[in-house]
Amino acid sequence: MTEAKPEEERQTRPFADVLNGLRRGRTHREMSEHMQDLTAAVIETGKPGTLTLTIKVVPTKDPRVVEVADKVTLKAPEQRAASLFYVTDDHQLSRTDPEQAELDLGPRAVPATPNSQEAAQ
């Protein structure tokens, strides 16, 4: 390994250059698209979200070469509607009010009227 240079002599490659080089620019494009999606979701829901870039650097057999892998994770806020349920006496959830009487709305006979008989002919 090479010896570290003093801070004033050290040249640092901009991180943006490395980001643009990851997977031939696909990581940068993916991050840009996710940033736009995240911003829209935050505005729409009023809730926070995160966009995380994880970079893993792994040594290879050649000490002059490293493998650089990335992982992009988007955690956008979700707007999920809640459902309302009634609670029964035995603590079960019900979509209908257990204290409200049920109406018999089943099929029923409809009496024929003179006009309906004429229309059928």
Side-chain angles (χ1 to χ4, degrees):
M1 185 165 194
T2 61
E3 189 175 314
K5 295 180 181 179
E7 193 66 34
E8 60 273 358
E9 294 179 27
R10 186 172 156 184
Q11 296 277 327
T12 302
R13 183 174 181 202
F15 178 74
D17 291 349
V18 176
L19 179 60
N20 279 320
L22 287 172
R23 295 182 23 229
R24 297 185 176 183
R26 289 191 302 268
T27 299
H28 184 269
R29 282 191 300 279
E30 183 180 359
M31 292 285 295
S32 297
E33 290 168 4
H34 283 332
M35 189 67 205
Q36 185 176 11
D37 295 341
L38 176 61
T39 302
V42 166
I43 296 299
E44 184 178 308
T45 65
K47 297 178 182 178
T50 61
L51 176 59
T52 305
L53 172 62
T54 303
I55 297 176
K56 182 177 181 180
V57 181
V58 180
T60 64
K61 292 181 182 181
D62 184 343
R64 299 172 301 133
V65 178
V66 293
E67 178 182 302
V68 181
D70 67 85
K71 180 179 179 184
V72 176
T73 307
L74 172 63
K75 291 186 182 177
E78 293 182 17
Q79 186 79 17
R80 294 180 58 114
S83 298
L84 297 178
F85 287 87
Y86 293 94
V87 180
T88 64
D89 291 337
D90 60 347
H91 301 104
Q92 299 292 322
L93 297 178
S94 173
R95 296 289 290 159
T96 57
D97 185 349
E99 295 181 11
Q100 183 175 349
E102 290 189 33
L103 297 174
D104 182 20
L105 298 176
R108 58 189 173 129
V110 178
T113 61
N115 291 341
S116 64
Q117 289 177 353
E118 290 174 11
Q121 294 174 356

